[in-house]
Amino acid sequence: MMEFSVAFWNLQNLFDVNSSEIATDLEFIPEKGWTTEVLSRKIENLSKPLKIMNNGNPPDLLGFCEIESEKLARDLCEKVRPGYYEIAKFIDGSDIRGIDTCLVYSKDIFDCIETKSFRINFRYPTRDIFLARLRIKENNAELLVLINHWPSRRGKKDGFDQYDTEFSRCMVAENCGRIIDDLLKIPFEEIKYLPHEILSDKSYVDTINTRWNKNVLLMGDFNDDPFDKSISKFLRAKNDKEVFVELNESLEIFRNTDRDKTDKQHYLECTPHLYNCMWNLSGFSYYHWRNNSTNLFDQFMISRGLLLGIQKLKMNPEKVRVFNEGLTIGENLTDDYFVSMNPEKYHPAQKGIPMTFEYLRTNGRIPKHRKPNTGYSDHFPIFGTIETLP
């Protein structure tokens, strides 16, 4: 059997020069310095780390966010590995800035069976959650991939206090959790056909366990860390493998502790956990300059089936990592850019932060006197592998 590689990257403002109407008043337009030449250099720069991420080979499955159009996704993919990728249907979301999520996959390894976009209903537009159902050609296993870009921590007066905006990510977490429930549990309208005592019939037990153990992979920029409330409490993404038991085992426990309810009632109330692959990582994927904070916002989370290899696919959390090789400012800038007491320079302690992409804006000034059209993104990509099983 084989392994295939997966990655996710927030591309930081990958806008087209032909902006959509909703984005024409924003900064990424030719009139403000975002030209065809700048865009071409940004795409060229982004392609370089993707080419070497998997021991010299590009990832086989790639999730992106902060990308405006399918054309940009295709342009980037052709730079990374010509003819290798296909785009899972690009759906323009409702984000007011015009940036979306996107999934690209190897045509050699996957078939894309279905795609769907889930709109998150706030009083203002926000990013959709994108779902793709893939089939692995080698062993016919199914993989359900959810691409996320949760609301920013940017709050009042452009502040960056997570508690100003925490409610919005908790709301998206609840919506995302409902999607997970729909994937891993029998649809509500079909539950009425189950017997009240599900555990009394092996065929029903097999049915609920098979669905419970589907391969689900969440990836994205969640704008919260693994231990934050939205992830750990509302989405129920944990790092404790002991909670990942068969569904019938959970029902047996509930039956013994609450005899006033039927198995069917317990099933309706049972919520699947996810395993957060990032808990044991010591690094960070994002740096925010306003409050000098480092965060692990970019994450992989997986279902029980994908964690344990029950349905012909297995992801090993120990192989997940943040990829930052060649992407830090310390690796890209000379020592004269780093001066401790000069606000126009970087502090030496910042050498490990992401090398953001900078271009010449209409004000004629580039932060920290950087060379124009250099850098990559304000996020590091994350990387992992999934093993195919017989």
Coordinates of all heavy atoms in Angstrom, one line a residue, residues 172-239:
V172 N -19.4 29.3 14.6 CA -18.9 28.5 13.4 C -18.6 27.1 13.8 O -18.9 26.1 13.1 CB -17.7 29.2 12.7 CG1 -17.2 28.3 11.6 CG2 -18.1 30.5 12.2
A173 N -18.0 27.0 15.0 CA -17.7 25.6 15.5 C -18.9 24.8 15.7 O -18.9 23.6 15.4 CB -16.9 25.7 16.9
E174 N -20.0 25.4 16.2 CA -21.3 24.7 16.3 C -21.8 24.2 15.0 O -22.3 23.1 14.8 CB -22.3 25.5 17.0 CG -22.2 25.5 18.6 CD -22.6 24.2 19.1 OE1 -23.8 23.8 19.1 OE2 -21.7 23.4 19.5
N175 N -21.7 25.1 14.0 CA -22.1 24.8 12.6 C -21.3 23.7 12.0 O -21.8 22.8 11.4 CB -22.1 26.0 11.7 CG -23.3 27.0 11.8 OD1 -24.2 26.8 11.1 ND2 -23.2 27.9 12.8
C176 N -20.0 23.8 12.3 CA -19.1 22.7 11.8 C -19.4 21.4 12.4 O -19.3 20.4 11.8 CB -17.6 23.2 12.0 SG -16.4 22.1 11.2
G177 N -19.6 21.5 13.8 CA -20.0 20.3 14.5 C -21.2 19.6 14.0 O -21.3 18.4 13.9
R178 N -22.2 20.4 13.6 CA -23.4 19.8 13.0 C -23.1 19.1 11.7 O -23.7 18.1 11.4 CB -24.4 21.0 12.8 CG -25.7 20.5 12.1 CD -26.6 21.6 11.8 NE -26.0 22.7 11.0 CZ -25.8 22.6 9.7 NH1 -26.1 21.5 9.0 NH2 -25.2 23.5 9.0
I179 N -22.2 19.7 10.9 CA -21.8 19.0 9.6 C -21.2 17.7 9.9 O -21.5 16.7 9.3 CB -20.9 19.9 8.8 CG1 -21.6 21.2 8.4 CG2 -20.4 19.2 7.6 CD1 -20.7 22.3 7.9
I180 N -20.3 17.7 10.9 CA -19.6 16.4 11.3 C -20.7 15.4 11.8 O -20.6 14.2 11.4 CB -18.6 16.7 12.5 CG1 -17.5 17.6 12.0 CG2 -18.0 15.4 13.0 CD1 -16.7 17.1 10.9
D181 N -21.6 15.8 12.6 CA -22.7 14.9 13.0 C -23.4 14.3 11.8 O -23.7 13.1 11.8 CB -23.7 15.7 13.9 CG -23.2 15.9 15.3 OD1 -22.0 15.6 15.6 OD2 -24.0 16.3 16.2
D182 N -23.8 15.1 10.8 CA -24.5 14.7 9.7 C -23.7 13.6 8.9 O -24.2 12.7 8.3 CB -24.9 15.8 8.8 CG -26.0 16.7 9.4 OD1 -26.6 16.3 10.3 OD2 -26.1 17.8 8.9
L183 N -22.3 13.8 8.9 CA -21.5 12.9 8.2 C -21.3 11.5 8.9 O -21.3 10.5 8.3 CB -20.1 13.5 8.0 CG -20.0 14.7 7.1 CD1 -18.6 15.3 7.1 CD2 -20.5 14.4 5.7
L184 N -21.3 11.6 10.3 CA -20.9 10.4 11.0 C -22.1 9.7 11.7 O -22.0 8.7 12.3 CB -19.9 10.8 12.1 CG -18.6 11.3 11.6 CD1 -17.6 11.6 12.8 CD2 -17.9 10.3 10.6
K185 N -23.3 10.3 11.6 CA -24.5 9.7 12.2 C -25.6 9.6 11.1 O -25.6 10.2 10.1 CB -25.0 10.6 13.3 CG -24.0 10.6 14.5 CD -24.5 11.6 15.6 CE -25.8 11.0 16.3 NZ -26.2 11.8 17.4
I186 N -26.5 8.6 11.4 CA -27.6 8.4 10.5 C -28.5 9.7 10.4 O -28.7 10.3 11.5 CB -28.5 7.2 11.0 CG1 -27.6 5.9 10.9 CG2 -29.8 7.1 10.2 CD1 -28.3 4.8 11.5
P187 N -28.9 10.1 9.3 CA -29.7 11.4 9.2 C -30.9 11.3 10.1 O -31.5 10.2 10.3 CB -30.1 11.4 7.7 CG -29.1 10.6 7.0 CD -28.6 9.5 7.9
F188 N -31.3 12.4 10.6 CA -32.4 12.5 11.6 C -33.7 11.9 11.1 O -34.4 11.2 11.8 CB -32.6 14.0 12.0 CG -33.6 14.2 13.1 CD1 -33.3 13.9 14.4 CD2 -34.9 14.5 12.8 CE1 -34.2 14.1 15.4 CE2 -35.8 14.7 13.8 CZ -35.5 14.5 15.1
E189 N -34.0 12.2 9.8 CA -35.2 11.7 9.2 C -35.3 10.2 9.1 O -36.3 9.6 8.9 CB -35.5 12.4 7.9 CG -34.5 12.1 6.8 CD -33.3 13.1 6.8 OE1 -33.2 13.8 7.8 OE2 -32.6 13.1 5.8
E190 N -34.1 9.5 9.2 CA -34.0 8.1 9.1 C -34.0 7.4 10.4 O -34.2 6.2 10.5 CB -32.8 7.6 8.2 CG -32.8 8.1 6.8 CD -31.6 7.7 6.0 OE1 -30.9 6.8 6.5 OE2 -31.3 8.3 5.0
I191 N -33.7 8.1 11.5 CA -33.6 7.6 12.8 C -34.9 6.9 13.3 O -34.9 5.9 14.0 CB -33.1 8.6 13.8 CG1 -31.6 9.0 13.5 CG2 -33.1 8.1 15.2 CD1 -31.0 10.1 14.3
K192 N -36.0 7.5 12.8 CA -37.3 6.9 13.3 C -37.5 5.5 12.9 O -38.3 4.8 13.5 CB -38.4 7.8 12.7 CG -38.5 7.8 11.2 CD -39.6 8.8 10.7 CE -39.7 8.8 9.2 NZ -40.7 9.8 8.8
Y193 N -36.7 5.0 11.9 CA -36.8 3.6 11.5 C -36.0 2.7 12.3 O -36.1 1.5 12.2 CB -36.5 3.5 10.0 CG -37.4 4.2 9.1 CD1 -37.0 5.4 8.4 CD2 -38.7 3.8 8.9 CE1 -37.8 6.1 7.6 CE2 -39.6 4.6 8.1 CZ -39.1 5.7 7.4 OH -40.0 6.4 6.6
L194 N -35.1 3.2 13.2 CA -34.3 2.4 14.0 C -35.2 1.9 15.2 O -36.1 2.6 15.7 CB -33.1 3.2 14.6 CG -32.0 3.6 13.6 CD1 -30.9 4.4 14.3 CD2 -31.4 2.5 12.9
P195 N -34.9 0.8 15.7 CA -35.6 0.3 16.9 C -35.2 1.1 18.1 O -34.1 1.7 18.2 CB -35.1 -1.1 17.1 CG -33.8 -1.2 16.5 CD -33.9 -0.2 15.3
H196 N -36.0 1.2 19.1 CA -35.7 2.0 20.4 C -34.5 1.4 21.0 O -33.7 2.1 21.6 CB -36.9 2.0 21.3 CG -38.0 2.9 20.8 ND1 -37.8 4.3 20.8 CD2 -39.3 2.7 20.4 CE1 -38.9 4.8 20.3 NE2 -39.8 3.9 20.1
E197 N -34.4 0.0 21.0 CA -33.2 -0.6 21.6 C -32.3 -1.1 20.5 O -32.3 -2.2 20.1 CB -33.7 -1.8 22.5 CG -34.7 -1.4 23.6 CD -34.2 -0.3 24.5 OE1 -32.9 -0.2 24.7 OE2 -35.0 0.5 25.0
I198 N -31.4 -0.1 20.1 CA -30.6 -0.4 18.9 C -29.6 -1.5 19.2 O -29.3 -2.3 18.3 CB -29.8 0.9 18.6 CG1 -30.7 2.0 18.2 CG2 -28.7 0.7 17.5 CD1 -30.0 3.4 18.1
L199 N -29.1 -1.7 20.4 CA -28.1 -2.7 20.7 C -28.7 -4.1 20.7 O -27.9 -5.0 20.7 CB -27.6 -2.4 22.1 CG -26.8 -1.0 22.3 CD1 -26.4 -0.8 23.8 CD2 -25.6 -0.9 21.4
S200 N -30.0 -4.2 20.6 CA -30.5 -5.6 20.5 C -30.4 -6.2 19.2 O -30.7 -7.4 19.0 CB -32.0 -5.5 20.9 OG -32.8 -4.7 20.0
D201 N -30.0 -5.5 18.1 CA -30.0 -6.0 16.8 C -28.6 -5.7 16.2 O -28.2 -4.6 16.0 CB -31.0 -5.4 15.9 CG -31.2 -6.1 14.6 OD1 -30.1 -6.4 14.0 OD2 -32.3 -6.3 14.1
K202 N -27.8 -6.8 15.9 CA -26.4 -6.6 15.4 C -26.4 -5.8 14.1 O -25.4 -5.0 13.9 CB -25.8 -8.0 15.2 CG -24.3 -7.9 14.8 CD -23.7 -9.2 14.6 CE -22.2 -9.1 14.3 NZ -21.9 -8.3 13.1
S203 N -27.4 -6.0 13.2 CA -27.3 -5.3 12.0 C -27.4 -3.8 12.2 O -26.8 -3.0 11.5 CB -28.5 -5.7 11.1 OG -29.7 -5.4 11.6
Y204 N -28.2 -3.3 13.2 CA -28.3 -1.9 13.5 C -27.0 -1.4 14.1 O -26.5 -0.3 13.8 CB -29.5 -1.6 14.4 CG -30.8 -1.8 13.7 CD1 -31.7 -2.8 14.1 CD2 -31.2 -0.9 12.7 CE1 -32.9 -2.9 13.5 CE2 -32.4 -1.1 12.0 CZ -33.3 -2.1 12.4 OH -34.5 -2.2 11.8
V205 N -26.4 -2.2 14.9 CA -25.1 -1.9 15.6 C -24.1 -1.7 14.5 O -23.3 -0.7 14.5 CB -24.7 -2.9 16.6 CG1 -23.2 -2.7 17.0 CG2 -25.6 -3.0 17.8
D206 N -24.0 -2.6 13.5 CA -23.0 -2.5 12.4 C -23.3 -1.3 11.6 O -22.4 -0.6 11.1 CB -23.1 -3.8 11.5 CG -22.6 -5.0 12.2 OD1 -21.9 -4.9 13.2 OD2 -22.9 -6.1 11.7
T207 N -24.6 -0.9 11.4 CA -24.9 0.3 10.6 C -24.4 1.5 11.2 O -23.8 2.4 10.6 CB -26.4 0.3 10.4 OG1 -26.9 -0.8 9.6 CG2 -26.8 1.6 9.6
I208 N -24.7 1.7 12.5 CA -24.3 2.9 13.2 C -22.8 3.0 13.3 O -22.2 4.1 13.2 CB -25.0 3.1 14.5 CG1 -24.6 2.0 15.5 CG2 -26.5 3.2 14.4 CD1 -25.1 2.2 16.9
N209 N -22.1 1.9 13.6 CA -20.6 1.9 13.7 C -19.9 2.2 12.4 O -18.9 2.9 12.3 CB -20.1 0.6 14.3 CG -20.3 0.5 15.8 OD1 -20.4 1.5 16.5 ND2 -20.4 -0.8 16.3
T210 N -20.5 1.6 11.3 CA -19.9 1.9 10.0 C -19.9 3.4 9.6 O -18.9 4.0 9.2 CB -20.6 1.1 8.9 OG1 -20.5 -0.3 9.1 CG2 -20.1 1.4 7.5
R211 N -21.0 4.0 9.9 CA -21.1 5.5 9.6 C -20.2 6.2 10.6 O -19.6 7.2 10.2 CB -22.6 5.9 9.8 CG -22.8 7.3 9.2 CD -24.2 7.6 8.9 NE -24.4 8.9 8.4 CZ -24.8 9.2 7.2 NH1 -25.2 8.2 6.4 NH2 -24.9 10.5 6.8
W212 N -20.2 5.8 11.9 CA -19.4 6.5 12.9 C -17.9 6.5 12.6 O -17.2 7.4 13.0 CB -19.7 5.7 14.2 CG -19.2 6.4 15.5 CD1 -18.1 5.9 16.2 CD2 -19.7 7.5 16.2 NE1 -18.0 6.7 17.4 CE2 -19.0 7.6 17.4 CE3 -20.8 8.3 15.9 CZ2 -19.2 8.7 18.3 CZ3 -21.1 9.3 16.9 CH2 -20.3 9.5 18.0
N213 N -17.5 5.5 11.8 CA -16.0 5.3 11.5 C -15.6 5.8 10.2 O -14.5 5.5 9.7 CB -15.7 3.8 11.7 CG -15.7 3.4 13.1 OD1 -15.2 4.1 14.0 ND2 -16.3 2.2 13.4
K214 N -16.4 6.7 9.5 CA -16.0 7.2 8.3 C -14.7 8.1 8.4 O -14.4 8.6 9.5 CB -17.1 8.1 7.7 CG -18.3 7.4 7.1 CD -19.3 8.4 6.4 CE -20.4 7.7 5.7 NZ -21.3 8.6 5.0
N215 N -14.0 8.2 7.3 CA -12.8 9.0 7.3 C -13.1 10.4 7.0 O -13.5 10.8 5.9 CB -11.8 8.4 6.2 CG -11.4 7.0 6.4 OD1 -11.0 6.6 7.5 ND2 -11.6 6.2 5.3
V216 N -12.9 11.3 8.1 CA -13.2 12.7 8.0 C -11.9 13.4 8.3 O -11.3 13.2 9.4 CB -14.3 13.1 8.9 CG1 -14.6 14.6 8.7 CG2 -15.6 12.4 8.5
L217 N -11.5 14.4 7.5 CA -10.3 15.2 7.7 C -10.8 16.7 7.7 O -11.3 17.1 6.7 CB -9.3 15.0 6.7 CG -8.1 15.9 6.6 CD1 -7.3 15.9 7.9 CD2 -7.2 15.6 5.4
L218 N -10.6 17.4 8.8 CA -10.8 18.8 8.8 C -9.4 19.5 8.7 O -8.5 19.1 9.4 CB -11.4 19.3 10.1 CG -12.9 19.2 10.3 CD1 -13.3 17.8 10.5 CD2 -13.4 20.1 11.4
M219 N -9.3 20.5 7.9 CA -8.1 21.3 7.8 C -8.5 22.7 7.6 O -9.6 23.1 7.1 CB -7.2 20.8 6.7 CG -7.8 20.9 5.3 SD -6.6 20.6 4.0 CE -6.6 18.8 3.9
G220 N -7.6 23.6 8.1 CA -8.0 25.0 7.9 C -7.2 26.0 8.9 O -6.4 25.6 9.7
D221 N -7.5 27.2 8.7 CA -7.1 28.3 9.6 C -8.3 28.6 10.5 O -9.3 29.2 10.1 CB -6.7 29.5 8.8 CG -6.4 30.8 9.7 OD1 -6.4 30.6 10.9 OD2 -6.3 31.9 9.1
F222 N -8.2 28.2 11.8 CA -9.4 28.3 12.7 C -9.3 29.5 13.5 O -10.2 29.8 14.3 CB -9.4 27.0 13.6 CG -9.7 25.8 12.8 CD1 -8.6 25.0 12.2 CD2 -11.0 25.3 12.6 CE1 -8.9 23.9 11.5 CE2 -11.2 24.2 11.8 CZ -10.2 23.5 11.3
N223 N -8.2 30.3 13.4 CA -8.1 31.6 14.2 C -8.3 31.4 15.7 O -8.5 32.3 16.4 CB -9.0 32.6 13.6 CG -8.4 33.4 12.5 OD1 -7.4 34.0 12.6 ND2 -9.1 33.5 11.3
D224 N -8.1 30.2 16.1 CA -8.0 29.8 17.5 C -7.0 28.7 17.7 O -6.8 27.9 16.7 CB -9.4 29.4 18.1 CG -10.2 30.5 18.7 OD1 -9.6 31.5 19.1 OD2 -11.5 30.4 18.8
D225 N -6.5 28.6 18.9 CA -5.5 27.5 19.1 C -6.2 26.3 19.5 O -7.4 26.3 19.9 CB -4.6 28.0 20.3 CG -3.6 29.0 19.8 OD1 -2.8 28.8 18.9 OD2 -3.6 30.1 20.4
P226 N -5.5 25.1 19.5 CA -6.2 23.8 19.8 C -6.9 23.8 21.2 O -7.9 23.1 21.4 CB -5.1 22.8 19.8 CG -4.1 23.4 18.8 CD -4.2 24.9 19.1
F227 N -6.4 24.6 22.2 CA -6.9 24.5 23.5 C -8.1 25.5 23.7 O -8.7 25.6 24.8 CB -5.8 24.8 24.6 CG -5.0 26.0 24.3 CD1 -5.4 27.3 24.6 CD2 -3.8 25.9 23.7 CE1 -4.7 28.4 24.3 CE2 -3.0 27.0 23.4 CZ -3.5 28.3 23.7
D228 N -8.3 26.4 22.7 CA -9.4 27.4 22.9 C -10.8 26.8 22.9 O -11.0 25.7 22.4 CB -9.2 28.5 21.8 CG -8.1 29.4 22.1 OD1 -7.9 29.8 23.2 OD2 -7.4 29.8 21.1
K229 N -11.7 27.5 23.4 CA -13.1 27.0 23.6 C -13.7 26.6 22.4 O -14.4 25.5 22.3 CB -13.9 28.1 24.3 CG -15.3 27.7 24.7 CD -16.1 28.9 25.2 CE -15.5 29.6 26.4 NZ -16.4 30.7 26.9
S230 N -13.6 27.3 21.3 CA -14.3 27.0 20.1 C -13.9 25.6 19.6 O -14.7 24.8 19.1 CB -14.0 28.0 19.0 OG -12.6 28.0 18.7
I231 N -12.6 25.3 19.7 CA -12.1 24.0 19.2 C -12.3 22.9 20.2 O -12.9 21.8 19.8 CB -10.5 24.1 18.9 CG1 -10.2 25.2 18.0 CG2 -10.0 22.7 18.5 CD1 -10.6 25.0 16.6
S232 N -11.9 23.1 21.4 CA -12.0 22.0 22.4 C -13.4 21.7 23.0 O -13.7 20.5 23.2 CB -11.0 22.3 23.6 OG -11.4 23.5 24.2
K233 N -14.2 22.7 23.1 CA -15.5 22.6 23.7 C -16.6 22.4 22.7 O -17.4 21.5 22.7 CB -15.8 23.7 24.7 CG -17.1 23.6 25.4 CD -17.4 24.8 26.3 CE -18.7 24.7 27.0 NZ -19.0 25.8 28.0
F234 N -16.7 23.4 21.8 CA -17.8 23.4 20.8 C -17.6 22.4 19.7 O -18.5 21.7 19.3 CB -18.0 24.8 20.3 CG -18.6 25.8 21.3 CD1 -17.8 26.5 22.2 CD2 -20.0 25.9 21.3 CE1 -18.3 27.3 23.1 CE2 -20.5 26.8 22.3 CZ -19.7 27.5 23.2
L235 N -16.4 22.3 19.1 CA -16.1 21.4 18.1 C -15.8 20.0 18.6 O -15.9 19.0 17.9 CB -15.0 21.8 17.2 CG -14.8 21.1 15.9 CD1 -16.0 21.1 15.0 CD2 -13.6 21.7 15.1
R236 N -15.4 19.9 19.9 CA -15.1 18.7 20.6 C -13.9 17.9 19.9 O -13.9 16.7 19.7 CB -16.3 17.7 20.6 CG -17.5 18.3 21.4 CD -18.7 17.5 21.3 NE -18.6 16.2 21.9 CZ -18.8 15.9 23.2 NH1 -19.1 16.9 24.0 NH2 -18.7 14.7 23.6
A237 N -12.9 18.7 19.6 CA -11.7 18.2 19.1 C -10.7 18.0 20.2 O -10.3 19.0 20.9 CB -11.1 19.1 18.0
K238 N -10.3 16.8 20.5 CA -9.5 16.5 21.7 C -8.2 15.9 21.4 O -7.9 15.6 20.2 CB -10.3 15.4 22.6 CG -11.8 15.8 22.9 CD -11.9 16.9 23.8 CE -13.4 17.2 24.2 NZ -13.5 18.3 25.1
N239 N -7.4 15.7 22.4 CA -6.1 15.0 22.2 C -6.1 13.7 23.0 O -5.0 13.0 23.2 CB -4.9 15.8 22.6 CG -4.9 16.1 24.1 OD1 -5.9 16.2 24.8 ND2 -3.7 16.2 24.7

